[in-house]
Amino acid sequence: MSSMTSVKTWRLELYICDVFASIVVATIILISEISLAVFEYIHCRLDGNPLSAVFAGIFTVHSVFTTFYIIGAFRLIECFMVPWLTLQLIFLTTFALFVIVWWIATLLSIFNLVQYYHTTSDQGLTNAEFFVLTGVILTIVLVVSIKLSHILYRGFVTVRNQNLARYRITEAIQRKDSVLKPSYV
């Protein structure tokens, strides 16, 4: 019997850990998105760059979805969590495609078929060094984004499993207490 309670305790700890980790990660992402939205908005107001306004809007909309994810994780409402996961899947797919295209451009830059624009006073990186360094940074950001998304997906799966278990228990109790009993002829 003690092994059964230890399994239940372990599952409860795993549940709390998964949901708590997903809430912490989502909160960090939310803070980052709000910071980036404010930065892009200020950049748009100072420079008048319309692209900054577009990015400010994208970060703001994404922060709303992240807020819904956090509320869903706290309240165990999985339907609040699904839109953010869908948005993150679209983002990661697009970002992975961009990284692949970047590495193709890096291969082309080795043969000087692709150039990046820099001023004549800029005596920094060579063409190939710039593309390789940026490719490595983009790949690291992609891997970190995938890991964080996996943590958030595990939190969603934990909430969904918790809701399914609660539904099964409720349904079993209702079936047991039901007034409708099968009749025998």
Side-chain angles (χ1 to χ4, degrees):
M1 192 66 167
S2 66
S3 67
M4 194 63 149
T5 43
S6 66
V7 168
K8 287 181 182 178
T9 306
W10 179 77
R11 285 185 183 167
L12 180 63
E13 289 173 358
L14 182 65
Y15 164 74
I16 291 171
C17 181
D18 282 347
V19 172
F20 181 72
S22 68
I23 290 172
V24 168
V25 168
T27 305
I28 291 170
I29 290 173
L30 178 65
I31 292 169
S32 302
E33 288 168 350
I34 291 172
S35 302
L36 287 170
V38 168
F39 173 78
E40 290 294 336
Y41 178 74
I42 291 171
H43 193 330
C44 171
R45 295 291 290 182
L46 293 177
D47 296 341
N49 187 358
L51 192 59
S52 295
V54 170
F55 281 121
I58 289 172
F59 288 131
T60 303
V61 169
H62 203 280
S63 67
V64 169
F65 284 112
T66 307
T67 304
F68 280 137
Y69 181 91
I70 294 170
I71 292 170
F74 268 122
R75 299 284 192 143
L76 300 178
I77 306 170
E78 60 190 86
C79 63
F80 277 15
M81 301 168 82
V82 171
W84 189 91
L85 292 171
T86 306
L87 193 65
Q88 190 68 8
L89 183 66
I90 293 169
F91 165 74
L92 284 177
T93 306
T94 307
F95 190 57
L97 180 64
F98 176 74
V99 170
I100 291 169
V101 169
W102 188 270
W103 280 109
I104 291 171
T106 302
L107 289 175
L108 294 174
S109 74
I110 292 173
F111 302 107
N112 287 330
L113 296 173
V114 175
Q115 298 283 331
Y116 81 98
Y117 176 76
H118 58 77
T119 60
T120 55
S121 64
D122 182 20
Q123 300 298 323
L125 300 172
T126 65
N127 192 36
E129 290 172 341
F130 169 75
F131 276 95
V132 169
L133 182 64
T134 306
V136 167
I137 291 171
L138 286 173
T139 305
I140 290 171
V141 169
L142 178 65
V143 168
V144 168
S145 296
I146 290 171
K147 292 293 184 184
L148 292 176
S149 293
H150 182 68
I151 291 171
L152 294 167
Y153 179 72
R154 271 195 354 230
F156 166 74
V157 168
T158 304
V159 167
R160 186 185 65 202
N161 290 342
Q162 182 74 17
N163 287 342
L164 285 174
R166 186 180 308 140
Y167 175 72
R168 288 182 189 133
I169 291 170
T170 305
E171 186 179 279
I173 291 172
Q174 287 175 350
R175 241 184 295 132
K176 182 180 152 189
D177 295 341
S178 176
V179 232
L180 301 174
K181 302 287 183 190
S183 61
Y184 297 101
V185 180

